[in-house]
Amino acid sequence: MERRNAEGYHDPTAYGGMRMAEQKAEKETVRMVYKNGRMELYIHEFFPCRLAVARKVFPLIRRFAKDEDKEKLKQFLRIKAREHSGKVKAFSEKAQFLTAKSEEWYFYRRKAREEQIIYNQCVKNLKLLEGRKE
């Protein structure tokens, strides 16, 4: 894709748009093909998902997705769980060394809680993907 348009003028907007469209074509997906249709979920955008959504989606994934898609999703969720677990630990340690109830302390405690929520979603998503009850 050229940075210039058909008339030869510099056109960064079109160039950026086409680059974004090209990147979207390469996104990792979980594909499910079933009797009445099909569904594709973008792994990086959709997961980890909330428990209410996960309870509906994971039985479909276990039943209709290919094994390599399931494995790809498992690997993604494991990596995300490790990543967010590390962030929880880092934010908690940072808050521990700050003055209690200071503005920074509240900030790092809040960030640790946010990361903990995402970590919990990853763990619950993994359990549901494997067919275990949470």
Side-chain angles (χ1 to χ4, degrees):
M1 173 74 200
E2 293 286 324
R3 287 185 185 263
R4 301 190 179 276
N5 63 16
E7 290 86 29
Y9 294 103
H10 185 69
D11 193 357
T13 306
Y15 176 76
M18 290 305 293
R19 297 256 315 149
M20 292 292 287
E22 290 169 0
Q23 289 174 359
K24 287 184 188 272
E26 300 170 8
K27 289 187 177 181
E28 290 185 273
T29 61
V30 173
R31 289 183 181 87
M32 295 168 277
V33 179
Y34 40 91
K35 183 179 165 182
N36 297 335
R38 66 182 175 88
M39 184 186 325
E40 290 185 19
L41 300 173
Y42 293 117
I43 292 175
H44 294 276
E45 285 82 11
F46 192 82
F47 298 101
C49 57
R50 297 187 183 272
L51 190 57
V53 174
R55 285 185 175 145
K56 294 176 183 177
V57 151
F58 282 108
L60 295 172
I61 292 172
R62 286 195 314 269
R63 187 169 173 197
F64 297 112
K66 292 181 181 177
D67 289 337
E68 59 261 16
D69 284 347
K70 290 183 219 175
E71 192 56 41
K72 188 171 32 175
L73 181 55
K74 276 184 195 177
Q75 290 297 335
F76 172 78
L77 289 171
R78 286 181 186 135
I79 289 167
K80 281 300 223 188
R82 276 195 304 267
E83 176 185 314
H84 290 286
S85 173
K87 287 181 180 180
V88 169
K89 185 177 179 184
F91 287 136
S92 297
E93 287 175 357
K94 184 77 173 174
Q96 188 177 18
F97 294 110
L98 294 169
T99 307
K101 303 199 191 255
S102 67
E103 191 174 320
E104 284 183 318
W105 182 81
Y106 281 117
F107 172 79
Y108 285 109
R109 297 269 302 169
R110 180 175 47 83
K111 294 300 277 181
R113 281 193 306 274
E114 289 171 0
E115 294 299 327
Q116 184 68 46
I117 289 168
I118 298 171
Y119 169 78
N120 291 343
Q121 286 178 338
C122 289
V123 170
K124 289 175 183 175
N125 282 194
L126 271 169
K127 286 179 181 178
L128 288 170
L129 181 59
E130 294 168 352
R132 296 183 285 155
K133 299 284 181 189
E134 50 339 304

